[in-house]
Amino acid sequence: MANSQTELAVLAVLSIRPTTGYAIRELVHERLSAFWSESFGQIYPALARLREAGLIEVTPGERTGSALHSLTDAGREHLLDMLSEPPVAARPRNGVLLRLFFGDLLGPRACAALVQAAKERSERQLADLAAARAEVEAERAADPADATRTRYWLLTIAAGEHAARAAIAWADEALAELADLEAGENR
Amino acid sequence: MANSQTELAVLAVLSIRPTTGYAIRELVHERLSAFWSESFGQIYPALARLREAGLIEVTPGERTGSALHSLTDAGREHLLDMLSEPPVAARPRNGVLLRLFFGDLLGPRACAALVQAAKERSERQLADLAAARAEVEAERAADPADATRTRYWLLTIAAGEHAARAAIAWADEALAELADLEAGENR
DNA sequence: ACTTACATGTAACGAGTTACATGATTGC
DNA sequence: GCAATCATGTAACTCGTTACATGTAAGT
């Protein structure tokens, strides 16, 4: 118990500061969405299990009555243990590439539309990451005590940027090749 | 029914040529592993459902008695319908980036080890893709009738190569930054 | 007063993995 | 004859999503 990926993520978020379940999901959505996701349906049961296991404790918030979850000493230790375990590889499932592999069934036009849509998603991703980068840098300027933490955050943003730029470069190549395939068909 | 991602993949593989469940999994492992995965526990139930729905039919193999699954007309049509639906986005879950985001908990040395390991995985991936590329090109030379199909296959290989190279470039940047963080700690 | 955001939970379902059980075929 | 590979399937389990149900707090 207290072993899942969700529990790892929840403990990690609580290491920043005690918060509500709702705010955990907020942070995951706003800061980690490029490489992580959680739903309420996972977070609340995870919080219950973690509390059960003595890894977190709950105190009612000062002004609001909402439940603030914070790490216990055991929780902090368990978090370090989990972080030290090798990351579990996500099972790959890329619907765009699956369709492209069987591309002669759909034909070059439909494939080009898929690739174009993927390219646009990556461009949006890149813009989002630029905004996130600006936010994090502003935060660093505002609170220099967080400087170390924000350097790690920027590493994850850079990873997203590299990936998005690669996806865009590939998409351009693929669109050229697909145009060529279509020209060949109509010859 | 006959709606899952697995069923799509199974139908798509059967569009190449009729085969056994075992061989479907082989092909997914050898050709699609960079962007797709299936397990026996999914494939056989999926085949049963597809047969039930009249989308595939089973004939005993000529020499071996093993079950050869082939698309029916309805199956071919359903496959085209499924391919035309927008791809479902995979939920992101990158354990390396999660650990890096909370990198000050692990410290720069442990983070560097994670990044280094990720880099090596990408390098292996790149080598595998180069091998796959050679194989596909050999196949194209051997059977020119497959030329169109292999061009689509090469598109998916190129996608993997772009992604892997981006991951390696990022890893090098990240390792430099982590070395700097470590130097800062020991100052 | 009303709407929007904050907040907590549960239940039903779907998807996928792993481990197990079983047996045929083929190469040595 | 024996090992490895090919082949098929099931059952238990884990993980995660979605939809639902419910209520509070804050802004306008």
Side-chain angles (χ1 to χ4, degrees), chain B residues 18-23 58-69:
Chain B
T19 31
T20 65
Y22 189 89
V58 185
T59 53
E62 305 269 309
R63 22 200 81 235
T64 73
S66 54
L68 290 185
H69 302 80

Side-chain angles (χ1 to χ4, degrees), chain A residues 20-22 26 41 44 66-67 91 93:
Chain A
T20 65
Y22 189 90
E26 290 274 82
Y44 284 110
S66 54
R91 186 174 63 352
R93 278 254 155 148

Side-chain angles (χ1 to χ4, degrees), chain A residues 98-176:
Chain A
L98 181 75
R99 282 164 176 78
L100 218 54
F101 187 90
F102 298 100
D104 57 343
L105 296 173
L106 274 182
R109 286 195 76 88
C111 286
L114 278 174
V115 172
Q116 180 63 32
K119 180 184 172 187
E120 280 159 16
R121 279 194 297 277
S122 290
E123 281 166 344
R124 239 170 295 134
Q125 172 85 334
L126 210 47
D128 290 348
L129 287 167
R133 180 179 279 282
E135 245 178 76
V136 169
E137 270 158 5
E139 201 162 312
R140 163 144 58 174
D143 185 357
D146 263 357
T148 299
R149 196 129 65 182
T150 57
R151 287 177 75 179
Y152 285 104
W153 295 357
L154 290 172
L155 284 181
T156 66
I157 290 175
E161 288 169 337
H162 274 276
R165 281 194 296 263
I168 292 167
W170 167 76
D172 286 333
E173 270 181 39
L175 287 171

Side-chain angles (χ1 to χ4, degrees), chain A residues 13-36:
Chain A
V13 169
L14 291 180
S15 81
I16 298 182
R17 105 182 75 84
T19 32
T20 65
Y22 189 90
I24 291 172
R25 141 96 176 199
E26 290 274 82
L27 190 141
V28 171
H29 254 192
E30 297 193 349
R31 290 270 209 261
L32 316 185
S33 64
F35 56 86
W36 202 264

